[in-house]
Amino acid sequence: EFLAFMEPGLYLDVGAAVGGFTELMIRRSPKSNAMAFEPFPGNWPMLEERVGEIEQITIDKRAASDINGHSRLYVSQVVRGDEKGWSGMEGYSSSGMLVDEEDRRFENALDVETVRLDSVVDEHVRFLKIDVQGAEMAVLDGAASLLDRRMIDFMWRSEERRVGKEGRSRWSPYH
């Protein structure tokens, strides 16, 4: 709800998945623009369907990281479509994480293009949401110039916590 009270500007959704939070940001602040970063190809059709036609949203299919180049994205689980409650989400995953290219355990990881936020954003950022399964510091390292110039007002990261039988996301502010 606090998004509605922030001044309009640029919002970044790093690890956008299917764009639910990206859409929420623009719904709460319709005079703002947003960039949704999502490197997993299985999520792209749902992301494009959900937010692709919204004029204020730009989809970037690269992984925000600390380098402009390539890395490996390991995805441990992908929705098959026959799981209870996941109808219509075939191919979706929220479990992708960047891994070291030399790590042989992840030889099935996908090659993805990476980008530093500093190289694609040169304006004031009102809100930065990060949901990248452990690669938060790489994202922040890739935004070092923005941070040094105090061009990011507010940042949040998502961390998964298990609560009873059901999992849920818990949001934590960076201090």
Side-chain angles (χ1 to χ4, degrees):
E1 295 300 318
F2 68 91
L3 294 172
F5 300 103
M6 294 183 74
E7 288 186 38
L10 180 63
Y11 290 28
L12 303 179
D13 187 352
V14 176
V18 297
F21 201 84
T22 314
E23 182 182 38
L24 176 67
M25 289 190 288
I26 294 303
R27 215 177 323 127
R28 295 284 189 256
S29 184
K31 293 182 180 176
S32 293
N33 292 307
M35 293 180 72
F37 293 86
E38 177 52 48
F40 181 55
N43 290 345
W44 296 345
M46 291 163 276
L47 176 62
E48 290 168 346
E49 182 179 328
R50 185 171 202 156
V51 301
E53 298 298 318
I54 300 174
E55 184 177 324
Q56 303 100 302
I57 297 175
T58 300
I59 296 172
D60 193 316
K61 296 179 179 178
R62 296 176 288 184
S65 188
D66 56 350
I67 61 167
N68 289 325
H70 288 266
S71 189
R72 307 282 291 170
L73 180 72
Y74 175 69
V75 179
S76 62
Q77 294 180 317
V78 175
V79 172
R80 295 181 315 271
D82 58 354
E83 301 91 341
K84 185 177 179 181
W86 291 94
S87 177
M89 299 286 289
E90 295 83 7
Y92 167 79
S93 182
S94 64
S95 65
M97 64 174 160
L98 294 179
V99 296
D100 187 285
E101 286 184 343
E102 271 77 53
D103 191 332
R104 297 289 178 215
R105 295 175 302 158
F106 301 122
E107 64 186 39
N108 293 325
L110 304 167
D111 184 64
V112 296
E113 190 174 352
T114 59
V115 64
R116 293 178 55 90
L117 292 178
D118 284 346
S119 70
V120 293
V121 177
D122 193 28
E123 64 182 274
H124 200 91
V125 176
R126 295 289 177 203
F127 184 81
L128 168 60
K129 175 233 133 187
I130 304 173
D131 185 359
V132 292
Q133 289 74 35
E136 292 85 358
M137 288 310 300
V139 172
L140 294 175
D141 287 346
S145 177
L146 292 168
L147 292 167
D148 288 347
R149 294 181 291 152
R150 301 187 189 284
M151 291 181 64
I152 300 175
D153 288 342
F154 198 78
M155 295 183 287
W156 281 77
R157 72 177 170 94
S158 174
E159 65 181 0
E160 291 295 321
R161 298 280 174 122
R162 291 284 174 202
V163 180
K165 289 184 185 179
E166 302 296 319
R168 68 179 181 128
S169 290
R170 185 178 127 176
W171 291 93
S172 304
Y174 283 107
H175 298 286

